[in-house]
Amino acid sequence: MSLELRNVGRVFNGIPAVTDVSFSAKPGEIIGLLGTSGCGKSTLLRAISGLDNEYDGEISINGKTSKMIHRETGFIFQEPRLFPWLTVLGNVTFGLTGEKQEKEQLGKQYLEKVGLSGNEKLYPKQLSGGMAQRVAIARALVTSPEILLLDEPFSALDAFTKMQLQDLLLSIWKAYQTTIVLVTHDIDEATYLCDRIIILRGQPGEITKEIKLEEKRPRARGSKQLAEIKTEILKSLDLNKAVDLTTV
Amino acid sequence: MEKIQGNVPSVLVHDKDSAKKRTKKKFNVEHLLLGSIIPAFLIIAWEIFSRLGVFPSYMLPSPSVVLGTIIGLGQDGTLAGHIGITTYRVFAGFILGTIAAVILGSFVGFYQKAERLLDPMIQAFRSIPSLAWVPLFILWMGIGETSKITMISVGVFFPVYLNIISGIIGVDRKLIEVGSINGLNAFQLVRRIILPASLPSFLTGLRSGLGLGWMFVVAAELMGASQGLGYLLVLGQNTLSPETILASIILFAAIGKLSDWLLKIIETRALHWQDRVAKL
């Protein structure tokens, strides 16, 4: 599934949050949107998903331009957002239609994929943060979306769970060749996962740089190449200058 | 041989289950004992003081006399009638008030236009003390069942209505977004997200509505009735028999508590998924 943004911007109450963003994603590509807080990363993601349709510009998925919710997209939020009155299996199969038995069969398959088989009957209150986010991942995947949108999906998790789930995401990507747009403020996460990192900066946010990562997966965390890219990203984010501006 | 093998695990499971039940039962008995210490002490003290003549019996008869009155009412067959008619009035008023509250509350909760149209008026009616309606209802509908049940349903209406609205308005926008991303239409959003999410608030409304229903039935029956627990109150006052009044009060407490307990069981069953803080 290809994705294309043309001159997308969004204004909230007369104040522009993000302006003139254009990029496209090839099928199966993992794109990272990286930037400091308030630069409009999440706003862009919500526009792509169709949750927000008051943006300017055009977004087309597979050549189809529409401001409605696209059935081809799956969204994983920063928080698990599970329905507390449904069991784990009920949450995973929430977006499916059709016969109950088929839905549950499929739901169980995806639960196994995220390493949670045997926990179908638990309720969200009984889950740890990492487990809940795995359920959310299974729920987003079960409808087999062709584009997966992730809004800082691992930022609320501890470092170890985070790494586990990043690898889980990669294995899913490998199996389904989903196009992924990942919003993050974690540079290590972006360099570990993405084919291309788009750096947004300023208020309103604009694209300042695009970095292509050629390195083969699996990448070694903390390798020299990734460290070099990290330095490059830090330089282009120009955090020192930003600090100066805020203190003045 | 096969049969025996088959039986073993089931026996084991059964044993474990009953052991669990036993500890739970023991726990409940302990609670019951702990909660009864002070009331039991007070009742015994009351009985002793009454028998010693510290409390004059024409003002405060002893517990045994009150109990005797209840048993006497039961024996001459009038007790069932009194309890039955009062419960019927509360139940009918509760159902009617709840239905009205669900309809209006959902409208006001879901549609902003309906809120602007109806809510100010309903809020204004709320500030009228509900008992002030009594003379008007009697004038309109006479002294029979209709005016009493209407009275009770007015009392039940407001807590249920307010809780439905706050439940619907309080549904987490983030959960609704999950529904939208899954392509749910407005009707499906209501059925699959908004209704279950506002259920806790609705049930809270039902419980406080029922409590008010019991309060209003007293008022309705005090105004004029020929049967019912409220009628017993009036009867006791007119015949100078405090034991009848006390008997009625105790019956009110018992039945009111029983009905609340039933609702609470429903609530616990329906909301088992809630992540509540366990009490210390």
Side-chain angles (χ1 to χ4, degrees), chain B:
Chain B
M1 187 65 193
E2 252 179 37
K3 207 176 171 187
I4 294 169
Q5 274 181 335
N7 273 343
V8 170
S10 76
V11 168
L12 279 178
V13 169
H14 179 75
D15 256 1
K16 214 165 110 191
D17 255 20
S18 65
K20 214 168 157 189
K21 264 184 204 151
R22 231 179 290 138
T23 51
K24 207 180 166 188
K25 217 174 198 174
K26 201 175 147 196
F27 193 62
N28 277 344
V29 169
E30 213 178 284
H31 273 218
L32 206 66
L33 280 178
L34 209 61
S36 332
I37 292 174
I38 294 175
F41 178 76
L42 287 177
I43 288 173
I44 291 167
W46 174 9
E47 180 77 40
I48 291 170
F49 281 122
S50 292
R51 294 211 171 180
L52 289 177
V54 179
F55 304 141
S57 67
Y58 62 91
M59 287 294 210
L60 187 63
S62 70
S64 53
V65 174
V66 175
L67 194 70
T69 311
I70 296 178
I71 292 171
L73 282 170
Q75 273 164 350
D76 68 18
T78 48
L79 184 65
H82 290 307
I83 292 179
I85 192 77
T86 300
T87 312
Y88 159 73
R89 283 168 187 152
V90 173
F91 189 70
F94 178 67
I95 298 286
L96 279 178
T98 303
I99 290 173
V102 167
I103 294 171
L104 281 173
S106 334
F107 257 108
V108 171
F110 286 128
Y111 302 107
Q112 209 172 29
K113 282 247 167 66
E115 189 190 343
R116 290 192 186 140
L117 199 67
L118 292 170
D119 201 49
M121 184 185 72
I122 294 173
Q123 296 293 344
F125 273 110
R126 193 167 77 101
S127 57
I128 302 171
S130 307
L131 293 179
W133 293 108
V134 172
L136 198 62
F137 286 165
I138 290 176
L139 199 66
W140 282 348
M141 294 172 259
I143 209 145
E145 294 305 309
T146 329
S147 63
K148 291 191 184 64
I149 290 172
T150 311
M151 183 69 229
I152 294 163
S153 59
V154 167
V156 172
F157 175 81
F158 285 106
V160 181
Y161 170 81
L162 292 174
N163 275 289
I164 285 179
I165 294 178
S166 79
I168 292 173
I169 290 174
V171 175
D172 194 351
R173 185 184 54 83
K174 292 176 172 176
L175 291 183
I176 294 186
E177 277 185 1
V178 176
S180 312
I181 210 89
N182 279 297
L184 265 56
N185 61 31
F187 173 72
Q188 288 168 321
L189 278 180
V190 170
R191 192 174 64 81
R192 298 187 63 190
I193 300 178
I194 296 174
L195 282 187
S198 56
L199 190 64
S201 177
F202 175 57
L203 286 169
T204 308
L206 282 189
R207 277 180 75 188
S208 45
L210 187 65
L212 275 185
W214 282 105
M215 222 167 105
F216 276 68
V217 79
V218 177
E221 289 181 345
L222 280 180
M223 296 302 153
S226 53
Q227 212 185 9
L229 294 176
Y231 161 74
L232 283 185
L233 292 173
V234 183
L235 185 75
Q237 188 194 353
N238 292 342
T239 58
L240 302 179
S241 56
E243 61 275 9
T244 312
I245 299 178
L246 283 169
S248 166
I249 289 176
I250 286 168
L251 288 171
F252 264 124
I255 304 169
K257 181 71 198 163
L258 187 73
S259 62
D260 183 62
W261 178 68
L262 287 175
L263 258 188
K264 187 166 170 159
I265 289 178
I266 295 174
E267 191 182 9
T268 325
R269 290 253 167 103
L271 302 180
H272 63 95
W273 46 267
Q274 264 192 333
D275 200 1
R276 290 198 185 167
V277 182
K279 277 190 192 162
L280 289 175

Side-chain angles (χ1 to χ4, degrees), chain A residues 46-59:
Chain A
R46 294 173 63 83
I48 298 172
S49 71
L51 276 177
D52 178 6
N53 52 19
E54 289 173 24
Y55 55 88
D56 312 310
E58 279 184 342
I59 295 174

